[in-house]
C-alpha cells in the first residue's frame, strides 16, 4: 500500500535561515529552472488574479506550476498584494506555497512564501543583469524601495556587482530615506535620493523598477538615451513608447504579454510582438544577444516554476537538518471504504 507523505509547515524564520547567505546558490537554482522551462520540462499555466471591486489596487494571485528534472515537484503559490498595508506598517505582500508530491499528488509541505517570492524575483533579476551586461561596476538606481528592492540589491551584490554610485527614488520621502539608510550599512559610495524620476534614470547605468504602479508613469524614451540596462520588475512602469524604443527580453512571452503589463500595452499598440527580441532562456543559450546602442529592458512576469525550485531547495535543507515541523494525522481519510 502506498503511504501518504507526512505534511510539514515551514515558517518564515526557517525559510529565511535556509536561503540567507546562499544568494549565489539560489541564483543558480533559478537559472536551472529557467533552463528546464526553456527545454519544455515544466508546466506553467496562466496565473489567476483574484481582484476586488471595492479594492481595485489589491489582488491575490494563484501561480500553479510543475517542475521536472531534479526538482521533481508540483505546487502552487498563493500571494496577495495589498498596497494599503504599507501605510499601517505592514508589508504589502504575503504568501504561502504548497508543494505536492510528484508521484501521488499529495501535498507534503506548506511554506511561508513572501521570502521565497522575493528571493526568486531578485535571483531572476540578478541572473538577467549578469547575462545582459558585461559590466560589473555600475551606477545603479532604484525606483521603488520596498522589500523587493532590498532583495534585489542583496542579490546583485552577491552575484558580483559593485556600485560606484547609487540613486533612490520613491513617492514617499520617508521610505526613500529608509532605503538610503539600509544602503549606507553596506555601501561606501555616494547615495543620492532623487526627487525627480528623470534624474534617477539619466544618472544610472542600471535602473531597477520595483514599484506597485498599475499603469505606465515613465513615458519619455529620451530619458534612456544613454542606453542603460533596465530591470523592469514591476512590469507596468514603462509606456509603450519606451518599450518600443528598447531591446526587450522577457522571461516568457505568453505570460508577460497580458494583464496590462507594459509589453502587453506595446502589443496592443502595434498589433504584434516583433518588439520582443527574445527570452532569458534565449540569452542563456546564446540565441539572443543584447546590443550596445539601445536600452535593454528585462520584463519578467514571474514564473511559478521559479518559486517551486526555491521552495524545494528550502524544504530539502530544513529536512536534512532534521527541523521539519510535521503535522501528525494531517491526512485522515485514507481507507477507501472506511
Amino acid at each position: 500500500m502506498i503511504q501518504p507523505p507526512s505534511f510539514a509547515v515551514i515558517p518564515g524564520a526557517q525559510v529565511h535561515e535556509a536561503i540567507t547567505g546562499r544568494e549565489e546558490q539560489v541564483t543558480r537554482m533559478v537559472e536551472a529552472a529557467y533552463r528546464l522551462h526553456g527545454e519544455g520540462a515544466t508546466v506553467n499555466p496562466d496565473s489567476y488574479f483574484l481582484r476586488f471591486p471595492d479594492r481595485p489596487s489589491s489582488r491575490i494571485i494563484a501561480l500553479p506550476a510543475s517542475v521536472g528534472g531534479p526538482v521533481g515537484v508540483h505546487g502552487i503559490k498563493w500571494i496577495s498584494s495589498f498596497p494599503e498595508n504599507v501605510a499601517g506598517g505592514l508589508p504589502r505582500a504575503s504568501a504561502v506555497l504548497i508543494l505536492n508530491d510528484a508521484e501521488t499528488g499529495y501535498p507534503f509541505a506548506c511554506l511561508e512564501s513572501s521570502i521565497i517570492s522575493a528571493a526568486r524575483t531578485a535571483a531572476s533579476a540578478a541572473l538577467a543583469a549578469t547575462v545582459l551586461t558585461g559590466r560589473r561596476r555600475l551606477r545603479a538606481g532604484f525606483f521603488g524601495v520596498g522589500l523587493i528592492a532590498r532583495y534585489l540589491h542583496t542579490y546583485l551584490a552577491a552575484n558580483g556587482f559593485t556600485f560606484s554610485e547609487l540613486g533612490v527614488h520613491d513617492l514617499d520621502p520617508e521610505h526613500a530615506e529608509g532605503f538610503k539608510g539600509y544602503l549606507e550599512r553596506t555601501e561606501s559610495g555616494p547615495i543620492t535620493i532623487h526627487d525627480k524620476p528623470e534624474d534617477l534614470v539619466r544618472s544610472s547605468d542600471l535602473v531597477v523598477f520595483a514599484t506597485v504602479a498599475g499603469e505606465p508613469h515613465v513615458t519619455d524614451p529620451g530619458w534612456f538615451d544613454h542606453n542603460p540596462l533596465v530591470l523592469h520588475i514591476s512590469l507596468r512602469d514603462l509606456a509603450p513608447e519606451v518599450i518600443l524604443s528598447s531591446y526587450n527580453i522577457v522571461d516568457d512571452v505568453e505570460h508577460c504579454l497580458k494583464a496590462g503589463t507594459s509589453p502587453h500595452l506595446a502589443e496592443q499598440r502595434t498589433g504584434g510582438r516583433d518588439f520582443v527580441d527574445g527570452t532569458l532562456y534565449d540569452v542563456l543559450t546564446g540565441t539572443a544577444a543584447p546590443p550596445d546602442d539601445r536600452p535593454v529592458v528585462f520584463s519578467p512576469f514571474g514564473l511559478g516554476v521559479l518559486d517551486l525550485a526555491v521552495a524545494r531547495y528550502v524544504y530539502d535543507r530544513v529536512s536534512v537538518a532534521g527541523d521539519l515541523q510535521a503535522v501528525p494525522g494531517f491526512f485522515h481519510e485514507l481507507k477507501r471504504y472506511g
Side-chain angles (χ1 to χ4, degrees), residues 199-287:
D199 293 342
L200 175 81
V201 174
R202 289 189 181 275
S203 63
S204 302
D205 309 308
L206 172 66
V207 184
V208 176
F209 284 96
T211 74
V212 293
E215 57 186 26
H217 53 94
V218 175
T219 61
D220 187 352
W223 292 9
F224 302 85
D225 283 345
H226 57 302
N227 302 325
L229 170 60
V230 180
L231 300 178
H232 187 212
I233 307 306
S234 34
L235 281 177
R236 295 170 176 84
D237 303 272
L238 304 179
E241 292 83 358
V242 178
I243 293 291
L244 295 173
S245 65
S246 303
Y247 183 88
N248 291 283
I249 295 295
V250 300
D251 56 354
D252 183 285
V253 177
E254 293 299 327
H255 284 78
C256 192
L257 273 67
K258 62 182 59 174
T261 66
S262 295
H264 186 205
L265 297 180
E267 179 187 29
Q268 293 175 330
R269 174 76 60 87
T270 63
R273 297 178 170 183
D274 291 345
F275 63 89
V276 178
D277 297 286
T279 66
L280 187 55
Y281 177 74
D282 294 330
V283 180
L284 289 169
T285 55
T287 58

Side-chain angles (χ1 to χ4, degrees), residues 46-51 59-62 78 236 258-259 301:
D46 289 344
S47 302
Y48 181 82
F49 287 70
L50 177 62
R51 298 187 183 276
R59 62 186 187 269
I60 308 179
I61 311 173
W78 181 238
R236 295 170 176 84
K258 62 182 59 174
F301 193 81

Side-chain angles (χ1 to χ4, degrees), residues 119-144:
R120 67 83 152 147
T121 299
S124 168
L127 173 64
T130 300
V131 298
L132 290 172
T133 179
R135 303 174 62 181
R136 290 296 176 269
R137 185 163 180 80
L138 301 162
R139 300 173 301 161
F142 289 85
F143 206 125

Side-chain angles (χ1 to χ4, degrees), residues 13-329:
Q14 286 186 314
V15 175
H16 183 268
E17 182 179 358
I19 64 174
T20 300
R22 299 179 179 89
E23 290 82 9
E24 283 188 273
Q25 294 97 312
V26 173
T27 304
R28 299 287 77 76
M29 283 186 297
V30 165
E31 178 181 354
Y34 271 126
R35 291 183 182 274
L36 287 170
H37 185 64
E39 294 161 2
T42 65
V43 180
N44 204 107
D46 289 344
S47 302
Y48 181 82
F49 287 70
L50 177 62
R51 298 187 183 276
F52 313 97
D54 59 332
R55 302 189 63 157
S57 65
S58 300
R59 62 186 187 269
I60 308 179
I61 311 173
L63 288 82
S66 175
V67 186
V71 179
V73 73
H74 314 312
I76 187 168
K77 181 175 73 172
W78 181 238
I79 182 166
S80 67
S81 174
F82 280 53
E84 291 81 5
N85 287 349
V86 176
L90 195 65
R92 170 187 62 86
S94 58
V96 294
L97 187 148
I98 300 293
L99 291 177
N100 293 74
D101 180 71
E103 294 299 321
T104 67
Y106 270 70
F108 62 88
C110 176
L111 299 88
E112 194 287 327
S113 195
S114 65
I115 296 171
I116 289 171
S117 189
R120 67 83 152 147
T121 299
S124 168
L127 173 64
T130 300
V131 298
L132 290 172
T133 179
R135 303 174 62 181
R136 290 296 176 269
R137 185 163 180 80
L138 301 162
R139 300 173 301 161
F142 289 85
F143 206 125
V145 296
L147 178 72
I148 297 297
R150 174 160 60 84
Y151 269 74
L152 277 163
H153 169 259
T154 298
Y155 272 74
L156 287 166
N159 280 274
F161 287 90
T162 59
F163 310 105
S164 57
E165 300 176 27
L166 284 159
V168 177
H169 173 78
D170 194 90
L171 295 178
D172 189 315
E174 183 179 349
H175 294 164
E177 285 287 352
F179 192 68
K180 180 183 179 184
Y182 155 74
L183 292 172
E184 287 173 340
R185 295 200 293 270
T186 57
E187 298 289 345
S188 57
I191 302 169
T192 304
I193 295 177
H194 295 279
D195 295 328
K196 296 180 179 180
E198 179 179 359
D199 293 342
L200 175 81
V201 174
R202 289 189 181 275
S203 63
S204 302
D205 309 308
L206 172 66
V207 184
V208 176
F209 284 96
T211 74
V212 293
E215 57 186 26
H217 53 94
V218 175
T219 61
D220 187 352
W223 292 9
F224 302 85
D225 283 345
H226 57 302
N227 302 325
L229 170 60
V230 180
L231 300 178
H232 187 212
I233 307 306
S234 34
L235 281 177
R236 295 170 176 84
D237 303 272
L238 304 179
E241 292 83 358
V242 178
I243 293 291
L244 295 173
S245 65
S246 303
Y247 183 88
N248 291 283
I249 295 295
V250 300
D251 56 354
D252 183 285
V253 177
E254 293 299 327
H255 284 78
C256 192
L257 273 67
K258 62 182 59 174
T261 66
S262 295
H264 186 205
L265 297 180
E267 179 187 29
Q268 293 175 330
R269 174 76 60 87
T270 63
R273 297 178 170 183
D274 291 345
F275 63 89
V276 178
D277 297 286
T279 66
L280 187 55
Y281 177 74
D282 294 330
V283 180
L284 289 169
T285 55
T287 58
D292 296 324
D293 59 353
R294 296 168 66 193
V296 176
V297 177
F298 175 56
S299 299
F301 193 81
L303 302 176
V305 296
L306 307 182
D307 295 286
L308 293 194
V310 176
R312 182 73 204 223
Y313 173 76
V314 170
Y315 176 87
D316 289 343
R317 284 196 61 84
V318 175
S319 179
V320 168
D323 294 329
L324 282 177
Q325 301 180 38
V327 181

